[in-house]
Structure formats: C-alpha cells, structure tokens
Amino acid sequence: PFNDPNYNHYKNIDELPKHLFDEMCHFFSVYKNLEHKETAVDEVCGREEAIKIIQAAIVNYKENFC
C-alpha cells in the first residue's frame, strides 16, 4: 500500500508489528478454506526473495498470457 501512511514506511516483513504479522499469517493459512483447499505458512521470506518471486511471476504471466 504505497499511499497508505499506516504501512508505507515498512520496507521488510520483519519490521511489521507482531500482531499485524500474525494477522497476515492467519489470513494466508485460512483464505482457501471456503474452497475446501488447505494452505499453510511454512516459511516467511524477506524483501529480496519477494522481489525475485514477483519478477518470476511477471515473466511467467507474460510467457503464458501475452
């Protein structure tokens, strides 16, 4: 949320307040329940890994849908 002053000063996930981090982990562990699918939060990575994953997803999208 680049324009949200509540969040835009965080640059890495380890900077988040514990309660916000816990809420995010909970969300990703249950968000597919209504589809009767299981999810799990096995690992939490930092900014650099997130950037790599996003870049790979963009390349994959372009290769498959553009």
Side-chain angles (χ1 to χ4, degrees), residues 29-39:
S29 68
V30 300
Y31 80 109
K32 291 284 186 172
N33 283 358
L34 293 176
E35 297 176 25
H36 306 289
K37 297 178 181 177
E38 290 187 29
T39 58

Side-chain angles (χ1 to χ4, degrees), residues 7 9-10 13-23:
Y7 301 104
H9 62 281
Y10 297 115
I13 197 163
D14 61 359
E15 297 174 4
L16 293 175
K18 183 174 178 355
H19 71 276
L20 183 57
F21 178 82
D22 291 345
E23 284 180 14

Side-chain angles (χ1 to χ4, degrees), residues 53-66:
I53 292 168
I54 292 167
Q55 289 171 336
I58 291 169
V59 169
N60 185 47
Y61 178 85
K62 288 179 180 178
E63 290 174 353
N64 289 288
F65 299 104
C66 294

